Structures are given as C-alpha cells and as structure tokens.
Amino acid sequence: MKFMDRFTNKNNKFYIKWMVICMSAIMAALAAVWFYMHDWDVEQSMKALAEAVAIEEPATETPKDETAEPAEPEAPETQTTEDSEEPEKPATEEPKTPEAQEPESPAIEETQDATVYPENSKLPAEPTVIKGVLLANKQHPLPETYAPGEVPEARAAFETMKTEAAASGLDLAAFSTYRDFARQKQLYEGYVAKDGQEAADRYSARPGYSEHQTGLAFDIGEAGKEQHWASASFGDTEGGKWLAANAHKYGFILRYPEGSEEITGYMHESWHFRYVGKDAAAEIHQKGITLEEYLEVQ
C-alpha cells in the first residue's frame, strides 16, 4: 500500500508538472502571437490586453420625467423648387348650372358714312320709297331712266306758298327745280373740273343721286336779289327766314339744315327745299329733324 501510494503521488507530481509546462508553453505561444499582432510593442500589447479583459459596466439610462408633456412631432419640411410641382389634387367637377341664354338681338345694319358714296355705284332699277316718301341721297340713288319731270303737286304747293309770301312783301322765285340725269351729269362734271371731286361731292350730287331728278326739289330765292341765290347768305335774308319758319305749312322742308352734313351727306343749303307733303313736313319741322331721321335711314 505504501508502495502504491508512493507511486501514485509520484505520478501526480509528474502530471502536474507536465501540465504546468504545457500551460506555460501555451501561454508563451499566445503571448508571442499577441505581441506579433501588436508589432512586438510591449506597452501597446499590455494596454490592448487590459482593455480586452476589462469588464464593461452596463449602460444606465437617465429616468424619464413622466410628468413632462410629450413633444409634438415636427412636421416634415417640404422643399419647393422651381422645377418641383405640387402634387395634383384629384379634379372635382362642380355641378354645372344651366346658363341663362340672352335673347338674340336683331341684327343691326352696319352704319354707313352718309357723306361718302358706296363703293358699288351701280344705279338701281327702282327708286327708294319709304313711308310714301321718295328718297334720294348718297346711299339711295335713282335709276338713270327715272325722269318724272317737275311734279305738278310740288309746283302747285310752291305757287300757293309764293302767294302767301307775297302778302308779306316777299317775291319768291324757284330758280332751279327738275333736272334729268344728263343735265345733272353735266353740272357735276363741271364742278369737279372747277373744284375737284372731293369738294364737289360736298355740294353737288353725282348723276343719279340728285334730289332734283325726283322733280320734288326746289331751289328758292327772292326775285331781284339774285346775289343771294344758291348762297349761304340767303338764310339771313327776309325771304330765307320766312321760308325756314313757314315752308312746312305748304309741304316743304329745308332739306339740308345747318350742322346735319353727317346725316344728310351734304353741306348746309339754305335755299334747297324739298316737297314731302304737309303731314311729313309738319312732323319734321316740329321735331327739328332731317328727312333721313324721319325715315330712319341714312
């Protein structure tokens, strides 16, 4: 027994010694590897070893203040650039209400310049008669063949008026009445040659456009005072004033009143009177209008 115990103890010592040698060899090998990993720097190797075996303390959070109000979440910023577009919203159609349709207004005839002849100067086949009144102006010409001569009714009315004027000491004379197409053409061309067409168109009608071709126009003056015939000065004479105040009583009107050139198409002529009948003449005189305004045309 003593022998066995001695053998056992001897073996244990050998085993322990062998284990220590092995452990030392292993530790030496590990140390060599460790130094090699740190470029054989002993100080750096020992520092790294200390950090490796250090035990980290668990991180602790600061306890939250449960009484503090939670912070409101910040709205995300939206960047707007010149190239960026806002997201399109879905199109929503508003309910349509029936549109009120305005009543169609009657077509309005384009207004013409009464002082200018139309581009189409072709003469018509029939004269223009409105409200029973024959009309002749720059927009409403007469046929070239229209040749009634001096209208007897107009002449009779003039003679009655002449008689009445004589009672006031006035001797009226109709120095120009009916002129046919050919005569008007001759006169107009003479005026154009003398004053030019633009000036002539203000005081003389082109052939086919003259009231004298109707047989109803009378150029009136006073006998013995021919210097005022066909002159604006006639309006300042006693005979001119009397006619302006009384001619309508006999069916005559002052055809081209002063200041009405844009309506009648011709400059003022204090001597030019037109027979339209007593009823029309009375209304025109009372309202102080022109024949075109009475007929509601140009």
Side-chain angles (χ1 to χ4, degrees):
M1 286 294 294
K2 288 182 180 180
F3 174 80
M4 290 298 296
D5 290 337
R6 183 183 298 176
F7 179 79
T8 302
N9 290 333
K10 189 176 182 179
N11 286 339
N12 286 340
K13 289 179 180 180
F14 176 80
Y15 176 78
I16 292 172
K17 186 177 181 180
W18 181 82
M19 288 293 296
V20 170
I21 293 172
C22 288
M23 289 295 296
S24 298
I26 291 171
M27 291 297 295
L30 290 174
V33 172
W34 185 264
F35 288 137
Y36 173 77
M37 290 175 59
H38 293 85
D39 299 328
W40 303 101
D41 188 336
V42 177
E43 184 179 353
Q44 183 177 351
S45 298
M46 295 304 294
K47 184 178 180 180
L49 180 62
E51 291 177 356
V53 298
I55 300 175
E56 295 183 359
E57 295 184 359
T60 57
E61 296 182 359
T62 305
K64 297 180 180 180
D65 186 0
E66 296 182 357
T67 61
E69 295 182 359
E72 296 183 359
E74 294 182 359
E77 293 184 3
T78 56
Q79 294 182 351
T80 304
T81 65
E82 293 181 359
D83 296 331
S84 63
E85 296 181 1
E86 294 183 0
E88 295 184 359
K89 298 180 180 179
T92 55
E93 295 185 359
E94 297 182 358
K96 296 182 179 180
T97 55
E99 296 181 358
Q101 296 183 352
E102 297 182 0
E104 295 183 1
S105 57
I108 300 176
E109 184 179 351
E110 185 179 354
T111 303
Q112 295 177 326
D113 187 347
T115 64
V116 178
Y117 287 96
E119 294 182 4
N120 180 12
S121 58
K122 184 178 180 180
L123 299 179
E126 298 293 334
T128 301
V129 178
I130 302 174
K131 295 182 181 181
V133 178
L134 178 62
L135 176 63
N137 62 14
K138 290 180 178 178
Q139 281 68 47
H140 301 86
L142 300 167
E144 182 177 349
T145 57
Y146 189 76
E150 186 180 86
V151 177
E153 183 180 349
R155 170 52 73 172
F158 172 76
E159 293 299 332
T160 302
M161 183 171 62
K162 177 181 173 65
T163 301
E164 294 293 332
S168 299
L170 302 172
D171 187 6
L172 299 181
F175 58 87
S176 180
T177 58
Y178 172 72
R179 295 197 293 265
D180 62 14
F181 183 90
R183 176 56 178 162
Q184 186 63 35
K185 183 175 183 295
Q186 182 183 18
L187 288 174
Y188 175 76
E189 290 177 350
Y191 294 136
V192 171
K194 178 177 176 288
D195 298 323
Q197 184 171 357
E198 183 177 352
D201 281 342
R202 292 191 62 202
Y203 63 82
S204 178
R206 296 179 183 179
Y209 295 82
S210 174
E211 273 210 327
H212 285 281
Q213 191 178 340
T214 67
L216 298 167
F218 283 60
D219 288 343
I220 304 174
E222 286 188 66
K225 297 183 179 179
E226 286 77 5
Q227 71 273 21
H228 297 295
W229 288 10
S231 174
S233 61
F234 176 70
D236 297 324
T237 65
E238 292 300 320
K241 293 177 182 178
W242 187 93
L243 281 169
N246 298 281
H248 66 280
K249 300 176 184 178
Y250 309 94
F252 285 91
I253 61 169
L254 179 63
R255 183 64 179 91
Y256 305 121
E258 189 172 6
S260 300
E261 184 172 351
E262 297 298 324
I263 301 173
T264 64
Y266 295 98
M267 60 186 292
H268 171 51
E269 294 184 356
S270 61
W271 64 92
H272 185 118
F273 287 82
R274 160 69 193 275
Y275 182 78
V276 294
K278 290 183 179 182
D279 293 339
E283 183 175 345
I284 291 171
H285 177 79
Q286 180 183 3
K287 293 181 178 180
I289 58 178
T290 64
L291 181 60
E292 280 76 13
E293 291 171 306
Y294 172 75
L295 300 178
E296 298 178 344
V297 295
Q298 275 193 333

